[in-house]
Amino acid sequence: KVRRAISGGLGLNGVRDEGPDLSLLDCIMRHNDGYEVCRRLKATPETRDIPVIFLSALNEAFDKVKAFAVGGIDYVAKPFQVEEVLARIEIQLTVQRLSKLLKEQNTQLKEEVNFRQQTEEQLRHQSQDLANFSYHLKQLHRLNTTSYNNFEELFTDYIQTGCEIFSFPTGIISEVVNSTYKICAVESCFDFLAPNTIFALDNTCCAEVVDSKKTVAHAQINKIIPTLSPTVYWKPKSYFGTPIIVNGKIYGTLSFSS
């Protein structure tokens, strides 16, 4: 599609309205000559990237140099061959398309690099957090004391840190006595999961942890029915639990679920 303008002013208005892929300018036009129109195009952010080819009867070296100085990319002297002009236009349009494509690819590449750098930084922090949590978890396993005073306060930070690392909304430190499971400290949005709440051990995922005395993880588990109330159903999707060993015996469990 080609749009014709009989003056420099009309040409500028047309460029602002249409946003052409390329502009052909005559050096000699009414009101504003081609040089002035080109200057204005190159001075405006929205139009500065539009390639400009000059067509003119002026054939002096000075005129050609001036055309390139104001931002023209090519200069065709009159009289000209139509085939030559079309070929030059096609070349510039191809260059324009490739240049636009290159800019888009560079922008996409920068976004991908920034995203990768942010991801790597997040992974680095998560890795450090996980290493710290692993260290504290090992310390918890090696706990050798018979004093359980303020036990839940001492290890509440394990729950908060673990919930952040594993992205689990629920974390529990429990005490296991015979077949009962007592919550000592908890981070959860469920009201029925509260400190000092007692469940039957067999109705919790922690039964497997206690029986095996090993860390247990499940990506998908079945429902757990608390004995506190038969109408309450807790259906976590995933579970991670590890035993708390005191003096070689299981004191309780540290678990996370979602």
Side-chain angles (χ1 to χ4, degrees):
K1 181 180 178 181
V2 178
R3 178 172 179 177
R4 179 173 174 267
I6 60 176
S7 69
L10 291 176
L12 285 171
N13 291 335
V15 168
R16 296 190 185 100
D17 294 339
E18 298 291 336
D21 296 314
L22 182 142
S23 178
L24 293 173
L25 292 177
D26 198 328
C27 295
I28 302 174
M29 294 189 296
R30 290 185 295 172
H31 305 304
N32 295 307
D33 62 25
Y35 301 123
E36 181 60 26
V37 173
C38 189
R39 285 193 191 96
R40 294 191 182 186
L41 291 176
K42 299 305 176 181
T44 305
E46 292 78 14
T47 59
R48 66 177 47 161
D49 291 330
I50 298 174
V52 175
I53 296 178
F54 280 92
L55 299 174
S56 180
L58 302 175
N59 202 21
E60 297 294 331
F62 170 79
D63 300 308
K64 296 179 180 179
V65 171
K66 184 176 180 180
F68 288 114
V70 296
I73 59 170
D74 203 351
Y75 191 100
V76 181
K78 297 178 182 179
F80 52 77
Q81 298 294 324
V82 175
E83 292 79 5
E84 178 188 358
V85 175
L86 292 177
R88 290 174 182 263
I89 289 174
E90 183 60 32
I91 290 173
Q92 295 304 329
L93 289 177
T94 300
V95 171
Q96 183 76 351
R97 286 193 294 268
L98 293 176
S99 178
K100 183 178 180 180
L101 178 61
L102 182 60
K103 288 181 180 179
E104 293 174 351
Q105 290 176 339
N106 284 338
T107 299
Q108 182 179 357
L109 181 60
K110 289 180 180 179
E111 292 176 351
E112 291 175 353
V113 169
N114 290 335
F115 176 77
R116 184 175 62 185
Q117 290 176 341
Q118 293 175 2
T119 301
E120 289 175 350
E121 184 66 14
Q122 292 175 355
L123 290 174
R124 188 181 67 80
H125 285 299
Q126 291 177 356
S127 178
Q128 184 61 48
D129 290 341
L130 187 59
N132 292 337
F133 180 74
S134 177
Y135 169 78
H136 290 301
L137 191 60
K138 291 178 180 178
Q139 294 300 109
L140 180 61
H141 276 296
R142 296 168 184 169
L143 183 65
N144 185 18
T145 179
T146 57
S147 176
Y148 304 137
N149 295 330
N150 300 320
F151 178 85
E152 56 274 17
E153 294 180 9
L154 181 63
F155 295 106
T156 294
D157 63 317
Y158 281 33
I159 300 176
Q160 296 173 346
T161 303
C163 286
E164 292 176 2
I165 292 175
F166 298 123
S167 297
F168 282 175
T170 299
I172 299 175
I173 289 180
S174 70
E175 179 183 2
V176 175
V177 179
N178 296 325
S179 60
T180 62
Y181 173 94
K182 176 183 176 182
I183 296 178
C184 298
V186 61
E187 176 91 8
S188 177
C189 60
F190 297 110
D191 293 336
F192 66 87
L193 296 177
N196 298 319
T197 302
I198 297 176
F199 302 106
L201 178 61
D202 290 340
N203 286 338
T204 72
C205 284
C206 295
E208 184 179 358
V209 176
V210 174
D211 291 339
S212 64
K213 296 182 180 181
K214 296 179 179 179
T215 298
V216 173
H218 291 294
Q220 187 72 33
I221 57 177
N222 296 325
K223 64 184 179 181
I224 300 172
I225 306 175
T227 57
L228 178 64
S229 172
T231 62
V232 178
Y233 289 85
W234 178 24
K235 303 177 180 179
K237 294 181 179 179
S238 52
Y239 171 86
F240 172 86
T242 189
I244 301 174
I245 308 297
V246 177
N247 292 331
K249 298 181 180 179
I250 292 183
Y251 169 81
T253 62
L254 171 65
S255 63
F256 302 96
S257 61
S258 65

